[in-house]
Amino acid sequence: MDQLLVHTVNMSITASYVILFVLVTRLLLRKVPKIFSYVLWLVVLFRLVCPFSFESVFSLVPIDAQNTPMDRIYYSQTPQTPLTPSEITSTDQAVNNINPEPISAAPMTTISTNSIDKWFDLGQYIWILGIVILLTYCLVTTARLHLRLRSAEHVFDNVYESSSITTPFVFGVLRPKIYLPIGLYEKERAYIIKHEQVHIKRLDHNIKPFAFFVLCVHWFNPLVWVAFFLMSEDMEKSCDETVIRQMGSEIKKDYSTSLLSLSTGRRFIGGSPLAFGESNTRGRIMNILNYKKPAFWVVIVAITVVVALGVGLMSNPKKHQITVEDYANQYIEQVITGHEQHDVKIVDRKITKLEKIAEFDELFSSPMEIWALEYRLKPDDPSKAIVPEGMTADGLITEDGSMGKPMLVFSYKGSTPQFLGVIRSGENDLTKKAGQEMALRVFLEANGQLPHETYSGNHMLVKFPLTTGETSQLLLSQPVVQGDLGIWCVERWKDTNGNEYYNTPQTDDSIADYYDRLQQQAAQGEDRSLLDPLQVAMKYISNDIGMGKHISLDQLVVDDTATAKDFAITPESTLLGYVLNLSMDNDSFDFDNIEWLTLEDSARFKSLNINPDEDMPNGFYILNKYTYTDPLQVAGETKYGILDNQNLDSPKVVSKQDFIEHFKQYSDFMPPCTITTRDGYVTSITEIYVP
């Protein structure tokens, strides 16, 4: 519905330009037959109902006529001007709660999206309400008129007489009928019937109701109201002229007298728009009395003008075909603007490389390409330039920092490139097709254009602890064949801070070809371990994540019915340690991680040189593994628990202030705490009982 309103406003804006052209042309053509100005109103009608048109170099419509001033925040599939680059800042293929922001050329006034949406929604409701009111008015008045005409008497053909009307008109869309008031003279009747028959022959009885419906849709535009009334006037005048031309100029006086005697001075707004008859009697009489059959050359000139204006007003201007180089220059302009905001004036620039390095046809809904961009900027004073991305030996600014060079991402609609944003060459191995494909997937997922699921079908969720004690999780999928005969792969994994890491196969082939080959090998019995998801998970955790021998199969928590939505939930980690420097003035604190060993951990005693008889008199041992502390952060939703002396098994939930005050009582010994973390924040802190 919201896009419908945007399209309607766009059409109304374009039609407004056309209406203004027609108004001026109508004045210039005031001495030629009104059929020509009437035809021009049909061009307006076309612009009000058709959201697209053909392009022409002869178009009279401004190129920005359809730039709606009511932008709602969409991802545009057909941008007409270069978009602002969007960058993804990630390391090692991680997506850390990515929310790409545009690089702004200048400070921008920020307007709340929610506020814009509320006003936009209100506008939609008002627009729909206006349409409903006008259509209801039309239906009610039409129904009332239909009831009044039920007593009309048939005269001949489609002509009827009624004592309940005072002016003749045509009523009906599919089977139009001519209704006359009782008491007309024969001569008057002949003129009026001829007039109404001309209306029917030209299909005016269809055009005007349709025009009224269009008016209902564009009711918010005052120029459309003007156009509707003037079109109705030109319709009547051109019909009068046709009657005069067919029946002879000698009837002008009698015809005018008939109009005057039948006039009621009312427009359609007092009745049904599906019935129309005499209106603007004075103007019509003046037009009839002044009407002269135009000379042949006048008709030819008028036709030429109307045809030329029709083509010019119905067509859209030819747009400049935006190229990849245009987008590259626009990106560089953004970079230059950023330097100039830091008082670094750029006096020259040059693109040194703009090369397509990859293209994919099946990854997205439209073909996609990656283009490598390299450029040089010359500052007026190199000493002023602060460029973390580097500078060449000859004092030129380039963009080649730790994240690598910019790579422009495009989709295509037909042959037209659509700029989507920027990725960095350092984020993936873009020299290989698999790395290029994964870089695009990360980009599209971050922008909400692809789901966070590479392979649909069977999934398995495997949670495992890191050596720091934090919990992470793998999402395993079957990329080729589903079921017992299908191989498994690690699609991606996520840590407790919500960072998402993508598994890029080390291959020169496409990712699909790589897994197809592994599937064939497994089917031939070469590597059957790929059919066991737990073996695949253990191998990935040990080798790719680098856990080595610090992970065992019994430490894995497996959910073999999980979905991609389950993986989207960040795993919660439980850690043991000492809470240091927690205060009411700061949300951050220092955490000293510990390991709580009991007599059951005999395998650890030998490696740590711990003597249980001497070092564990109370049956436990607190091991400080690290000489440093980790900075952690609490939030407003963090829960705090302290020991309840009445019930040590059930900690007492307290406020942050009470938790801090409770720990002030400890001077010689600080009790450890259990903390839980998720998405980079501590969700709970609970005091541990130490015997």
Side-chain angles (χ1 to χ4, degrees), residues 462-465 474 534 537-538 541 551-558:
V462 177
K463 295 185 179 181
F464 62 96
L474 304 176
L534 293 185
M538 283 295 296
I541 296 170
I551 189 72
S552 60
L553 194 60
D554 59 356
Q555 291 179 284
L556 305 184
V557 178
V558 180

Side-chain angles (χ1 to χ4, degrees), residues 29 31-37 241 245 291-292 294 298-299:
L29 298 177
K31 292 187 177 181
V32 301
K34 294 299 181 287
I35 186 64
F36 295 109
S37 54
E241 292 171 351
R245 188 171 62 252
Y291 175 74
K292 295 180 180 179
V298 173
V299 174

Side-chain angles (χ1 to χ4, degrees), residues 275-306:
F276 55 97
E278 318 313 322
S279 61
N280 189 21
T281 304
R282 183 177 181 277
R284 289 176 61 189
I285 291 175
M286 294 295 295
N287 185 65
I288 290 169
L289 296 177
N290 294 328
Y291 175 74
K292 295 180 180 179
K293 186 177 181 180
F296 179 75
W297 69 268
V298 173
V299 174
I300 295 300
V301 171
I303 291 175
T304 303
V305 171
V306 169

Side-chain angles (χ1 to χ4, degrees), residues 92-93 427-430 432-439 441-442 455 490-493 501-507 509 511 514-515 540 544:
D92 298 331
Q93 305 178 39
E427 297 174 4
N428 285 270
D429 183 3
L430 296 183
K432 296 181 179 180
K433 191 168 185 178
Q436 297 163 355
E437 181 180 345
M438 189 56 66
R441 171 165 287 280
V442 173
Y455 309 105
V490 174
E491 179 179 311
R492 60 190 73 197
W493 68 283
Y501 304 86
Y502 294 72
N503 177 26
T504 304
Q506 299 303 306
T507 176
D509 299 329
I511 296 177
Y514 171 76
Y515 284 125
Y540 188 86
D544 294 78

